[in-house]
């Protein structure tokens, strides 16, 4: 049996049986418990998504999946059903992301690190803005998703962890404290980050930027959040802009060599590497607004150095990375020289017993 190999027709047949038997009898017949995480919405009715997905296998593959053969969450049932075009909803709001907490921290800082109430106009405005943020998929957004009460509660979680707070803190999470500490250490810079996120959301700029695999990669670090990183990567991968940057370098008689380590793809790979180099957007995320990217904002760089730049925040410039590479080579030469240097006669003398 192929798990997840179900059709819309199979799901509709499972829905019909569910309606005919009723929830209790349907779940009892197949051994399922009521859903607690995800629900399927169809024609203004709510169904247990895990049970529906499991029973749909009976109509498509001849046998229903047992409850212990699948997971009701996004890795199995909810994902299968959403893939077929069905509407899935979560019973609980998703965890706050760094981007969202950045905006909440910015509001808390503007309020003197004091909590805000749910009916504060600034909370209401932020609630509406967060609901436009293209990070959480629709199936994770319930009717309470980032409502004013939830936003006000988040400002409480943040402000009660401020160093000046003397009361008992709430059960917030480590990310709240991490982002708050970024604001305390770099208030002006983080305020710029929040402003760029806000501007991009209001302009609808981030809606067109698809999530990338790098966001889940521990080797890519961006304290400024996912949305600005998406925009950064989109600018780096702009084929037309990259071609203009390469053409400009060639017109100036410059080799297409990495500005950090000097690697030249054509020298190593011949014709296969001719004309190839990656581009890195050198403007820091907190400085890069909605303005047009200029050629001077881009640096030609090899894949390895590009990866090393993005690996840990704060990101070094190509020049800073080049300096660290040169320092590493100098240290290696000194260490090698110390090993091969002839030992002095005094060093060879052994102490008398």
């Amino acid at each position: 049996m192929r798990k997840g190999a179900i059709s819309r027709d199979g799901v509709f047949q499972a829905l019909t049986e569910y309606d005919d038997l009723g929830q209790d009898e349907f779940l009892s017949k197949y051994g399922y418990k009521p859903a607690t995480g995800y629900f399927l919405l169809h024609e203004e009715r709510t169904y247990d998504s895990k049970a529906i997905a499991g029973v749909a296998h009976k109509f498509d593959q001849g046998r229903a999946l047992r409850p212990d053969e699948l997971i009701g969450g996004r890795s199995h049932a909810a994902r299968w059903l959403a893939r077929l075009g069905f509407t899935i909803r979560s019973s609980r709001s998703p965890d706050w992301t760094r981007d969202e907490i950045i905006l909440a921290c910015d509001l808390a800082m503007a309020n003197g690190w004091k909590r805000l109430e749910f009916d504060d106009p600034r909370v209401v405005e932020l609630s509406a803005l967060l609901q436009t943020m293209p990070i959480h998929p629709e199936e994770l957004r319930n009717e309470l998703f980032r409502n004013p009460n939830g936003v006000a509660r988040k400002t409480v979680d943040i402000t009660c962890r401020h160093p000046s707070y003397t009361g008992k803190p709430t059960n917030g999470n480590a990310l709240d404290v991490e982002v708050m500490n970024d604001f305390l250490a770099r208030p002006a810079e983080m305020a710029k980050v929040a402003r760029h996120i806000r501007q991009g959301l209001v302009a609808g700029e981030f809606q067109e930027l698809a999530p990338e695999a790098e966001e889940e990669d521990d080797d890519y670090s961006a304290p400024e959040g996912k949305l600005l990183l998406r925009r950064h990567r989109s600018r780096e991968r702009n084929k037309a802009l990259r071609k203009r940057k390469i053409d400009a370098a060639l017109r100036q008689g410059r080799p297409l060599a990495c500005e950090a380590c000097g690697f030249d793809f054509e020298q190593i790979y011949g014709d296969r590497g001719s004309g190839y180099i990656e581009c890195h957007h050198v403007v820091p995320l907190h400085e890069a607004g909605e303005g047009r990217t200029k050629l001077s904002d881009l640096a030609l760089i090899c894949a390895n150095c590009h990866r090393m730049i993005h690996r840990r925040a704060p990101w070094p410039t190509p020049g800073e990375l080049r300096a660290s590479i040169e320092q590493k080579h100098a240290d290696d030469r000194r260490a090698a020289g110390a090993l091969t240097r002839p030992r002095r006669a005094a060093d060879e003398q052994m102490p008398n017993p």
Side-chain angles (χ1 to χ4, degrees):
M1 173 176 285
R2 292 178 54 209
K3 291 184 180 181
I6 55 178
S7 66
R8 284 182 61 85
D9 184 63
V11 173
F12 282 129
Q13 292 184 69
L15 292 174
T16 298
E17 183 176 356
Y18 188 107
D19 290 338
D20 291 342
L21 297 178
Q23 179 189 32
D24 292 342
E25 187 174 344
F26 181 86
L27 297 179
S28 177
K29 177 179 178 180
Y30 294 102
Y32 284 86
K33 295 180 180 179
T36 58
Y38 293 87
F39 299 91
L40 185 155
L41 303 183
H42 178 65
E43 295 183 350
E44 299 184 354
R45 293 197 60 183
T46 301
Y47 298 85
D48 301 85
S49 59
K50 180 178 179 180
I52 292 296
V55 175
H57 283 73
K58 179 179 75 170
F59 299 105
D60 285 309
Q61 300 196 54
R63 177 178 72 81
L65 288 181
R66 299 188 308 273
D68 62 353
E69 291 182 291
L70 77 161
I71 300 170
R74 294 184 66 202
S75 59
H76 278 174
R79 178 167 58 87
W80 299 338
L81 295 169
R83 186 177 60 200
L84 293 172
F86 291 96
T87 301
I88 305 297
R89 287 290 182 270
S90 172
S91 63
R92 54 185 177 271
S93 291
D95 292 339
W96 284 64
T97 63
R98 179 179 291 275
D99 299 74
E100 295 171 303
I101 297 174
I102 286 172
L103 295 184
C105 267
D106 184 57
L107 181 56
M109 182 173 71
N111 198 48
W113 295 107
K114 305 297 182 184
R115 62 177 292 174
L116 292 98
E117 300 299 331
F118 75 95
D119 56 353
D120 188 304
R122 295 169 295 175
V123 170
V124 175
E125 183 271 337
L126 180 55
S127 169
L129 192 64
L130 292 175
Q131 291 170 9
T132 70
M133 187 173 281
I135 288 183
H136 301 292
E138 284 299 319
E139 63 266 23
L140 295 183
R141 299 169 179 244
N142 59 23
E143 64 277 6
L144 300 178
F145 177 74
R146 301 301 182 256
N147 66 4
N149 279 318
V151 175
R153 173 68 184 189
K154 179 53 67 174
T155 68
V156 173
D157 291 339
I158 292 169
T159 57
C160 73
R161 298 302 183 100
H162 190 272
S164 65
Y165 184 77
T166 58
K168 182 179 179 181
T170 63
N171 294 324
N173 59 49
L175 190 55
D176 294 339
V177 178
E178 186 177 312
V179 175
M180 181 190 68
N181 286 337
D182 285 339
F183 271 85
L184 295 177
R186 301 174 286 131
E189 180 178 314
M190 292 305 294
K192 284 185 178 180
V193 170
R195 183 167 66 251
H196 288 320
I197 293 175
R198 280 178 169 273
Q199 291 171 346
L201 289 173
V202 170
E205 177 186 358
F206 299 126
Q207 301 290 344
E208 301 176 359
L209 302 177
E212 300 183 5
E214 284 86 350
E215 293 178 353
E216 306 303 326
D217 192 335
D218 290 339
D219 282 346
Y220 277 75
S221 173
E224 295 87 344
K226 293 181 178 181
L227 295 181
L228 296 186
L229 177 59
R230 288 181 193 175
R231 184 168 65 188
H232 175 95
R233 298 291 287 167
S234 176
R235 289 172 173 175
E236 288 184 337
R237 292 176 174 176
N238 184 308
K239 292 182 179 180
L241 198 59
R242 174 178 169 273
K243 184 177 185 303
R244 287 174 53 206
K245 179 68 176 180
I246 289 175
D247 289 345
L250 294 176
R251 285 196 303 271
Q252 296 168 6
R254 295 164 49 198
L256 296 185
C258 176
E259 294 181 25
C261 73
F263 185 88
D264 186 316
F265 284 89
E266 186 173 10
Q267 285 186 0
I268 301 300
Y269 298 108
D271 290 343
R272 180 176 290 273
S274 177
Y276 181 79
I277 193 78
E278 292 189 7
C279 280
H280 170 61
H281 196 282
V282 297
V283 181
L285 295 185
H286 68 275
E287 296 286 354
E290 298 178 62
R292 184 177 179 181
T293 302
K294 304 184 293 293
L295 292 185
S296 58
D297 294 337
L298 299 175
L300 299 179
I301 200 158
C302 74
N304 281 347
C305 288
H306 202 178
R307 190 77 172 186
M308 290 299 100
I309 286 174
H310 283 278
R311 189 179 186 198
R312 187 178 302 117
W315 295 343
T317 65
E320 290 169 340
L321 186 62
R322 180 174 63 250
S324 69
I325 292 172
E326 292 172 351
Q327 183 63 52
K328 175 68 166 58
H329 289 170
D331 292 343
D332 289 345
R333 287 192 295 270
R334 280 195 296 271
L339 291 175
T340 58
R341 186 182 305 119
R343 301 186 67 179
R344 296 177 301 170
D347 295 333
E348 298 293 340
Q349 292 181 357
M350 297 294 293
N352 292 323

